Amino acid sequence: MYQAIVFLPLLGFLIVGLFGNQLGARASELITSSFMVVAAILSWWAFLTVGIGDGQTFTVPVLKWITSGTLQANWELRIDTLTVVMLIVVNTVSCLVHIYSIGYMHDDPSRPRFFAYLSLFTFAMLMLVTSNNLVQMFFGWEGVGLASYLLIGFWYHKPSANAAAIKAFVVNRVGDFGFALGIFGVFMLFGSVNLDTVFANAASYVPAEIHGEASTGAESAAPATEQAAPAAETGQPAAETGQPAAENHDASAAAADDAVAMNFLGHPLGKSAALTVVCLLLFMGAMGKSAQVPLHTWLPDAMEGPTPVSALIHAATMVTAGVFMLARLSPLFEHSQTALLFVTFIGAITAFFAATVGLVQNDIKRVIAYSTCSQLGYMFVALGLGFYSAAIFHLFTHAFFKALLFLGSGSVIHAVSGEQDMRQMGGLRKLIPTTYWMMIIGTLALTGVGIPATVIGTAGFFSKDAIIEGAFAGHGSMAGFAFTLLVVAALFTSFYSWRLIFMTFHGRPRASHEVMHHVHESPPVMLVPLVILAVGALFAGFVFHDYFIGEHYEAFWKGALFTLPGNEIMEHAHHVPMLVKLSPFVAMLLGFLLAYQFYIRDPAAPARLAAQHRGLYRFLLNKWYFDELYDFLFVRAAKRLGYFLWKRGDGTVIDGLGPDGVSARVLDVTGRVVRLQTGYLYHYAFVMLIGVAALVTWLMLGSSF
């Protein structure tokens, strides 16, 4: 069954990719979509069996892959609760995106290529989430990077699409370089890339404290007689050492940590420092894939691809890879508090930054894209605080409402003849009512509408609020900082989400009469996926809350995620003050009221406010000038260096002294030699006479000596 879940998308890609033109567009759509329906159904069965049921962690061997010295990496599928959660996220969203694309891409002449790329994208992500070693994970990691490049640049005849695809590819290579170094570092420290071996070795690698309070789960679970070796086994009583046993242990631990574990950039590192560097390098990869500041700049430009691609990237594949990777490697990250603090800091900054930029964007897809960037920040805050289950829970619920919002925006774009600027919309509520209500449901879930301290709420209410409460309950030095920024980001999220609804569907129509005349509701093949996603956006939080972060936590996760002793942070998050539970609700309500005031009651107010604070408005509209800064620091410098190497290095030095120089000298010599062959008889006679004179002179001089 698990081989079918993973390899059916690959089979669809191979069939349609190789024979799509012969099969035709309709057959290509049906083949790839049918395979994805089967994979999605099997994924839900696996979830019910392994997650909800009594299934335990196991592996499914595929083939022997790499054996080189001590490096061994077999191709096998790791099946546990974390895996099956990702399987239903990836395959459910991908299945619905495939079906939706049948209607959305109906007029595109390259549909076979598009559906082949979608299936390839899905297969690469499945390889990533089922990996049982870091090399296999890197294979899937790079696979989603390749597929995203192909899909973002699908309309390659558009220069903007080509530029966006290249930007996504290059920015992700920066992060992937760090990820690759991190994998090398893991192999250096633990002698293996297999996850079970790495986790087992990490538990005893350094004497670490978890979040400044408790030892690792593995250490806390060990009997006391194992943690303090009996004196009889050492052959010498502790009293005879002249030092208390605890001091001996501390001294030996300090000495072990001071031992050089590896050299990095010319600096020798002890065990703790080495592990921190490795974790930061691994997180660098996550920053690129999951669009965290400062490697976030590719994500908004990825909107140049078709809208179904945006839904797949933002809800289920590319950007969720970094969150999954940190959750999977949680037993490793728990031994580096510095790395976890950095993860928390970056997540909080990203959540706030992206929310501020979303306030003023006018492209409907870019608003939702910055929303994704912000929500990923929430997930990384949870990861940095050690609240791994909340991060995956938000990833799970986010997949439903974010796919719903993107596909809903695609339905809007489809209705208004390809227009994406919200300033050219308005008045669409009664013309496309089904799309309108689907977008309303997605917005309710994104903004976390619900009644605090009850079980009444949308999916985002359960997962997003849990992260905010966990940030308040966290003990790290970044917890308070993260809590403040997340609450502010919740306010901004509510404002720009309802701003999108009001500008798009309410008020007077701002599009031309011709566009408004042709506005129409999308066909059922596009609306049915929206309805299915809307059900998840409304009820996924309520149905699965107790499994992910509630009373069924232990039975559900079965050790797939690292857990603090006694589920400490989760318990504290459930018992925060009522004011903390109310804070995201109040922020959501304020954001809605502000958006209603600005875009329904007083539509001229935003323009007046922007004119009064022109500098701030331009700052946010230009996305904090990250692109301009990178262009100044890196792009222009790289172009100047490239131009210099092209003109001076390649042209002047290599070609000038090499092929071009040699050929020029040959031409110069032959040009002069050719001049000797004039064709005039008296020239030849004169040369002969000179030769005879020279010969006679030589003979005369020779005979005289």
Side-chain angles (χ1 to χ4, degrees):
M1 177 176 74
Y2 295 98
Q3 292 93 330
I5 292 174
V6 173
F7 291 108
L8 277 175
L10 176 63
L11 182 60
F13 162 70
L14 292 175
I15 293 174
V16 175
L18 294 174
F19 309 108
N21 291 333
Q22 290 78 13
L23 293 171
R26 175 58 63 183
S28 299
E29 294 168 346
L30 294 177
I31 290 171
T32 53
S33 299
S34 299
F35 285 168
M36 285 310 310
V37 169
V38 174
I41 293 173
L42 293 177
S43 298
W44 277 98
W45 178 255
F47 176 75
L48 294 175
T49 303
V50 176
I52 306 298
D54 298 326
Q56 300 298 317
T57 299
F58 61 94
T59 59
V60 178
V62 177
L63 53 83
K64 289 188 177 297
W65 194 19
I66 297 175
T67 301
S68 177
T70 58
L71 174 63
Q72 290 187 336
N74 294 330
W75 198 343
E76 52 191 11
L77 311 180
R78 181 186 182 93
I79 307 300
D80 60 10
T81 302
L82 180 58
T83 301
V84 295
V85 168
M86 295 303 298
L87 288 180
I88 61 172
V89 168
V90 174
N91 282 331
T92 300
V93 173
S94 181
C95 169
L96 296 175
V97 166
H98 273 74
I99 295 171
Y100 177 94
S101 299
I102 295 175
Y104 190 86
M105 302 294 290
H106 177 71
D107 297 325
D108 196 286
S110 301
R111 281 176 310 207
R113 178 166 61 91
F114 180 77
F115 280 85
Y117 287 169
L118 285 182
S119 293
L120 175 64
F121 204 175
T122 306
F123 166 71
M125 189 64 186
L126 292 174
M127 287 307 309
L128 193 158
V129 302
T130 58
S131 57
N132 196 36
N133 61 73
L134 292 174
V135 176
Q136 184 180 337
M137 186 183 291
F138 191 73
F139 172 82
W141 194 272
E142 292 303 302
V144 295
L146 169 64
S148 67
Y149 170 78
L150 296 173
L151 284 168
I152 294 170
F154 177 76
W155 287 322
Y156 55 83
H157 56 277
K158 295 170 56 179
S160 57
N162 281 326
I166 293 172
K167 185 176 183 179
F169 197 79
V170 171
V171 173
N172 272 276
R173 295 295 71 73
V174 175
D176 294 354
F177 177 69
F179 187 49
L181 290 179
I183 294 175
F184 300 156
V186 168
F187 182 72
M188 285 186 62
L189 297 183
F190 304 112
S192 177
V193 292
N194 294 306
L195 296 181
D196 289 330
T197 304
V198 171
F199 296 160
N201 291 339
S204 58
Y205 185 69
V206 291
E209 291 186 349
I210 303 301
H211 296 284
E213 292 192 352
S215 60
T216 66
E219 292 170 344
S220 63
T225 55
E226 292 179 13
Q227 294 185 30
E233 295 182 11
T234 65
Q236 186 180 17
E240 294 182 10
T241 63
Q243 226 177 351
E247 293 183 13
N248 280 335
H249 175 74
D250 293 342
S252 61
D257 186 56
D258 287 339
V260 175
M262 72 175 188
N263 286 284
F264 183 72
L265 299 178
H267 298 283
L269 301 176
K271 285 186 174 182
S272 295
L275 192 58
T276 295
V277 168
V278 167
C279 289
L280 290 175
L281 289 171
L282 292 171
F283 178 57
M284 182 176 172
M287 290 168 66
K289 276 289 181 290
S290 295
Q292 297 297 286
V293 173
L295 300 181
H296 66 282
T297 53
W298 67 270
L299 190 61
D301 290 351
M303 299 303 98
E304 289 291 340
T307 302
V309 174
S310 302
L312 194 56
I313 289 176
H314 287 248
T317 54
M318 184 90 160
V319 299
T320 62
V323 178
F324 165 80
M325 185 265 285
L326 257 68
R328 174 63 83 199
L329 300 181
S330 56
L332 191 63
F333 274 80
E334 277 296 331
H335 292 278
S336 175
Q337 294 309 301
T338 302
L340 290 177
L341 286 175
F342 186 70
V343 171
T344 306
F345 174 75
I346 292 295
I349 290 294
T350 302
F352 175 77
F353 154 76
T356 62
V357 176
L359 295 172
V360 297
Q361 297 301 303
N362 297 309
D363 186 303
I364 186 171
K365 289 172 63 177
R366 284 181 178 264
V367 173
I368 304 173
Y370 277 106
S371 165
T372 299
C373 193
S374 182
Q375 297 305 305
L376 289 166
Y378 278 83
M379 299 176 205
F380 279 104
V381 167
L383 292 168
L385 295 171
F387 203 179
Y388 301 106
S389 56
I392 299 301
F393 186 33
H394 195 45
L395 184 154
F396 175 76
T397 60
H398 178 264
F400 290 103
F401 58 75
K402 188 50 56 73
L404 175 60
L405 287 170
F406 264 114
L407 296 185
S409 70
S411 183
V412 172
I413 295 168
H414 181 266
V416 294
S417 306
E419 180 62 65
Q420 295 184 198
D421 192 333
M422 296 185 298
R423 294 171 296 184
Q424 304 302 319
M425 298 181 187
L428 300 177
R429 178 169 56 93
K430 294 182 179 180
L431 299 176
I432 47 175
T434 305
T435 298
Y436 170 71
W437 285 110
M438 295 301 101
M439 291 289 285
I440 287 289
I441 292 173
T443 300
L444 292 173
L446 171 61
T447 56
V449 173
I451 302 176
T454 70
V455 293
I456 301 174
T458 57
F461 165 75
F462 288 95
S463 59
K464 182 161 68 84
D465 287 18
I467 294 176
I468 293 175
E469 292 164 10
F472 181 85
H475 296 293
S477 58
M478 282 291 171
F481 172 77
F483 171 76
T484 303
L485 290 192
L486 293 188
V487 172
V488 175
L491 168 65
F492 292 164
T493 299
S494 179
F495 177 84
Y496 66 65
S497 297
W498 289 109
R499 171 179 179 263
L500 183 152
I501 293 294
F502 295 148
M503 290 184 68
T504 303
F505 296 101
H506 292 263
R508 61 178 182 81
R510 294 180 296 276
S512 66
H513 175 74
E514 182 180 358
V515 170
M516 295 302 297
H517 179 71
H518 290 92
V519 171
H520 59 284
E521 189 61 275
S522 299
V525 73
M526 293 172 62
L527 294 180
V528 170
L530 296 183
V531 174
I532 296 173
L533 290 169
V535 173
L538 286 174
F539 302 111
F542 169 74
V543 172
F544 296 105
H545 171 268
D546 286 346
Y547 293 100
F548 279 84
I549 57 173
E551 60 184 18
H552 301 309
Y553 175 93
E554 296 287 352
F556 177 72
W557 286 109
K558 305 178 185 70
L561 296 175
F562 187 92
T563 306
L564 290 171
N567 292 336
E568 178 186 330
I569 190 169
M570 190 166 67
E571 289 298 324
H572 289 175
H574 290 331
H575 298 92
V576 296
M578 191 60 185
L579 187 60
V580 175
K581 291 181 178 291
L582 286 172
S583 59
F585 174 81
V586 173
M588 175 272 299
L589 189 59
L590 285 176
F592 169 78
L593 293 175
L594 284 173
Y596 184 82
Q597 172 67 26
F598 277 23
Y599 295 97
I600 297 297
R601 296 190 61 186
D602 187 8
R608 293 198 305 269
L609 191 62
Q612 293 171 2
H613 305 279
R614 186 174 299 276
L616 177 61
Y617 175 73
R618 298 299 302 177
F619 179 72
L620 298 180
L621 188 64
N622 287 282
K623 302 156 288 188
W624 290 27
Y625 293 101
F626 269 102
D627 285 314
E628 289 77 6
L629 178 63
Y630 289 171
D631 182 69
F632 175 76
L633 293 178
F634 304 115
V635 177
R636 295 183 189 177
K639 286 183 176 180
R640 286 194 293 268
L641 177 61
Y643 186 84
F644 173 80
L645 293 176
W646 170 35
K647 290 296 186 181
R648 298 292 180 265
D650 190 36
T652 304
V653 178
I654 297 176
D655 287 343
L657 300 180
D660 288 350
V662 172
S663 63
R665 300 293 77 75
V666 170
L667 290 174
D668 187 44
V669 171
T670 55
R672 286 175 170 78
V673 171
V674 164
R675 294 178 184 177
L676 298 177
Q677 305 295 326
T678 63
Y680 294 108
L681 182 60
Y682 61 88
H683 284 171
Y684 299 148
F686 178 72
V687 171
M688 291 172 63
L689 180 60
I690 294 297
V692 170
L695 179 61
V696 170
T697 302
W698 180 74
L699 290 173
M700 290 174 62
L701 292 175
S703 62
S704 64
F705 291 101

